[in-house]
Amino acid sequence: MNEVALDFPRVWVEFPDPEASDPSAPAQLFRCDLTWLTSRYHCIFGAGCHGIYATSPGAGCCTLGAHFADKADERRVAEAVARLTPEQWQLRPPGKVRRKDWVDVDADGARTTRAVDAAGESACILHNRAGFAAGTGCALHLLAAAEDRHPVQTKPDVCWQLPLRRTYRTVERPDGTNYLEVSVGEYDRRGWGPGGLDLDWYCTGNPLAHDAAEPLYVTAEVELRALLSDAAYDVLVELCERHLGSASKPAPHPAD
């Protein structure tokens, strides 16, 4: 099934940080894509996902190594990796796991999880290939389930955030003051950088991935609370519900 166009009418909402110390001139505002957050998107890994590359259809979007957001992100993931057992991680090296066993540095000096060839498929070293007894997919996702945690606590930031994309921008007001704009929207092909348009398949704009029973702002509550704040998420829920309750239902996601 074909993807919808990348550009189409969207409804965005902007609201001040509900925890701002000075509500009259908040230092931070949230800008959220209501069209995306009220869409019926859900991840279909293992249930219709074709993978971003035709050469690794079973790896979903785990084909490339995951870039760490910062040192804290890598440290948190390292603590989770240290807890993985051979029964949870197909490609776990024998003995004590060292950072260099699963972390790589790309040509630009960015630190990532390693991408390796295994079982006829090139993908992240933490991705369990088809046929593994515990199941196909991220070993850190399996760990989260085994420990009764949410994957937000075990997976790299970029992995648990998909398909949400958070960006920051400093906005200058006419009076010379400024504020930090925190935007949350769709992690579409362009979010991957220049190579995003070359992906063989992608999910966020594909109708195959837009048949969830509940809207994204509900199914991604944990992720959104982590990306915004508890107070900001509560405001967002109210705004999403108003949007869905609008008689005109402006700018629905075309993939829905």
Side-chain angles (χ1 to χ4, degrees), residues 7 24 35 61 82 89 91 101 161 181 192 195 223:
D7 295 309
S24 65
T35 296
C61 56
W89 184 11
L91 302 180
D101 291 327
Q161 289 176 16
E181 177 188 87
W192 290 77
E223 292 87 347

Side-chain angles (χ1 to χ4, degrees), residues 27-99:
Q28 178 170 278
L29 272 74
F30 295 107
R31 180 174 178 266
C32 300
D33 181 356
L34 291 184
T35 296
W36 175 237
L37 296 174
T38 59
S39 76
R40 296 291 171 156
Y41 172 86
H42 66 129
C43 175
I44 56 171
F45 178 78
C49 174
H50 294 271
I52 60 174
Y53 290 123
T55 53
S56 299
C61 56
C62 303
T63 308
L64 306 174
H67 284 69
F68 295 110
D70 50 32
K71 290 182 179 179
D73 182 27
E74 182 178 339
R75 183 168 56 250
R76 177 179 51 77
V77 174
E79 292 171 355
V81 168
R83 301 196 300 273
L84 285 169
T85 67
E87 291 73 31
Q88 295 167 327
W89 184 11
Q90 182 183 27
L91 302 180
R92 186 187 189 281
K96 183 178 180 180
V97 178
R98 301 163 298 175
R99 193 75 63 98

Side-chain angles (χ1 to χ4, degrees), residues 105-177:
V105 180
D106 68 14
D108 297 321
R111 296 177 67 80
T112 72
T113 60
R114 288 181 57 200
V116 298
D117 291 323
E121 192 169 56
S122 177
C124 175
I125 193 171
L126 292 161
H127 173 73
N128 295 327
R129 275 50 169 186
F132 183 57
T136 306
C138 181
L140 295 172
H141 205 106
L142 280 178
L143 178 69
E147 296 181 341
D148 196 25
R149 299 172 184 260
H150 192 278
V152 163
Q153 297 175 279
T154 60
K155 298 173 73 169
D157 284 350
V158 69
C159 299
W160 66 257
Q161 289 176 16
L162 276 167
L164 304 168
R165 186 163 186 258
R166 179 178 59 184
T167 57
Y168 300 92
R169 182 172 69 110
T170 299
V171 179
E172 298 290 335
R173 295 187 178 99
D175 62 0
T177 61

